[in-house]
Amino acid sequence: MSTADRLTDALYGAGWSTVKKLPEPVAARLGRTIADIAWKRRGKGVQRLEANYARVVPGAGPERLAELSRAGMRSYLRYWMESFRLPAWSAERIRTGFDPKDVHHLTEGLDAGKGVILALPHLANWDLAGAWVTTALRTPFTTVAERLKPETLYDRFVAYREGLGMEVLPHSGGAAFGTLARRLRDGGLVCLVADRDLSASGVEVDFFGEQARMPAGPALLAQHTGALLLPVTLWYDDSPVMHGRVHPAIEVPESGTRAEKTSVMTQALADAFATGIAEHPEDWHMLQRLWLADLDPAKGPS
């Protein structure tokens, strides 16, 4: 393991071991302080965040984009502070920490014996939303995690999410897809963060007026298993409670090839994501390249 990898792993380890012991107001202030320092330094992540917000908020000038990126970094660090502390939260704190609307789309699908796929963008705190599902609804689910470097850091994330009641599969193509399909055919729940394609072979969609790629997995799983595909969007306000909405199911088209159906469904998913992101752009934590115009074709997403 390189020195940089060891340092990265140590920093995340310190976060989970130290931040979770802090009183909540202290952790919140620490997050805002770190966010403001990072924002003022204007590193690559902050610059990319502003470039992405420029697509989401067309016509925004430099001052507005700077305001958005500062709020975006504060939202991003709120996510990390909450995530470091989630393992120490009581069941009651988790239940009261998230206020989702239209959950009936999810519960009715599960009650009907259908599998359900929840697809989310990188908005607010998807880990908290997942912990709420396992705690408030007492419903386990399966998800997929990107393999991180160093491997020890990936292991930390897996242990963290499994500790919140999630089954975590590595992002490894067909093997993960087969397991997800089995869970859905058994009437289970699958949750996927799905606004950024990690394979460089995803479905092209129109996203805020430009072409981007999003993963085909959610749409393909719905077609293969008959599971409901439900978009979910999340957002913060000034309270300690995160908010969210479960959108109506994306239907499988009645006609067309598998590729055509997947394209239509993935575009509908992108449209639902865009609705939530446009309403709360500062809570979209996209510090990487996303649109095709920004990607190096030889390298894919980075």
Side-chain angles (χ1 to χ4, degrees), residues 43-74:
K44 290 183 179 179
V46 173
Q47 293 179 47
R48 173 51 48 194
L49 191 63
E50 284 190 12
N52 290 339
Y53 286 159
R55 262 80 170 233
V56 174
V57 187
E63 185 175 339
R64 173 61 175 146
L65 289 174
E67 291 174 355
L68 276 172
S69 65
R70 183 178 188 183
M73 290 303 295
R74 287 187 169 191

Side-chain angles (χ1 to χ4, degrees), residues 93-142:
R93 178 66 182 90
I94 292 172
R95 282 193 294 267
T96 60
F98 181 39
D99 179 25
K101 297 175 173 58
D102 299 327
V103 180
H104 66 91
H105 293 303
L106 167 59
T107 55
E108 289 171 3
L110 293 172
D111 290 345
K114 290 188 174 184
V116 176
I117 306 156
L118 296 180
L120 307 86
H122 286 79
L123 274 169
N125 192 338
W126 45 97
D127 286 326
L128 172 55
W132 185 89
V133 167
T134 60
T135 303
L137 299 184
R138 298 185 180 181
T139 301
F141 67 86
T142 305

Side-chain angles (χ1 to χ4, degrees), residues 78 97-100 124-126 128-129 234-236 240-244:
R78 175 173 171 174
F98 181 39
D99 179 25
N125 192 338
W126 45 97
L128 172 55
L234 309 170
W235 66 92
Y236 289 129
V241 178
M242 183 177 72
H243 301 274

Side-chain angles (χ1 to χ4, degrees), residues 9-237:
D9 183 60
L11 287 172
Y12 280 100
W16 269 300
S17 63
T18 303
V19 174
K20 70 180 181 182
K21 299 175 184 177
L22 297 175
E24 196 158 337
V26 175
R29 286 197 300 273
L30 175 62
R32 288 193 298 272
T33 298
I34 295 172
D36 288 349
I37 291 172
W39 177 75
K40 289 176 181 176
R41 289 180 176 175
R42 292 194 57 77
K44 290 183 179 179
V46 173
Q47 293 179 47
R48 173 51 48 194
L49 191 63
E50 284 190 12
N52 290 339
Y53 286 159
R55 262 80 170 233
V56 174
V57 187
E63 185 175 339
R64 173 61 175 146
L65 289 174
E67 291 174 355
L68 276 172
S69 65
R70 183 178 188 183
M73 290 303 295
R74 287 187 169 191
S75 177
Y76 185 48
L77 265 294
R78 175 173 171 174
Y79 159 77
W80 278 112
M81 292 298 114
E82 287 179 348
S83 295
F84 287 144
R85 291 176 49 76
L86 263 176
W89 280 14
S90 67
E92 179 64 17
R93 178 66 182 90
I94 292 172
R95 282 193 294 267
T96 60
F98 181 39
D99 179 25
K101 297 175 173 58
D102 299 327
V103 180
H104 66 91
H105 293 303
L106 167 59
T107 55
E108 289 171 3
L110 293 172
D111 290 345
K114 290 188 174 184
V116 176
I117 306 156
L118 296 180
L120 307 86
H122 286 79
L123 274 169
N125 192 338
W126 45 97
D127 286 326
L128 172 55
W132 185 89
V133 167
T134 60
T135 303
L137 299 184
R138 298 185 180 181
T139 301
F141 67 86
T142 305
T143 189
V144 174
E146 177 184 358
R147 279 204 173 276
L148 302 171
K149 293 182 180 180
E151 190 74 14
T152 51
L153 179 58
Y154 171 78
D155 292 340
R156 286 186 190 275
F157 271 95
V158 169
Y160 156 64
R161 288 178 172 136
E162 288 179 341
L164 298 175
M166 311 174 193
E167 179 188 21
V168 183
L169 307 176
H171 187 276
S172 53
F177 187 93
T179 302
L180 295 173
R182 287 193 295 274
R183 299 291 183 269
L184 292 167
R185 289 192 183 102
D186 290 338
L189 176 63
V190 164
C191 299
L192 300 170
V193 179
D195 58 343
R196 182 169 176 256
D197 177 53
L198 295 174
S199 67
S201 61
V203 179
E204 287 196 16
V205 296
D206 183 278
F207 196 53
F208 291 100
E210 290 191 44
Q211 292 301 109
R213 285 194 196 96
M214 293 190 181
L220 287 172
L221 283 166
Q223 293 175 63
H224 274 278
T225 66
L228 292 178
L229 175 54
L230 304 177
V232 177
T233 52
L234 309 170
W235 66 92
Y236 289 129
D237 59 16

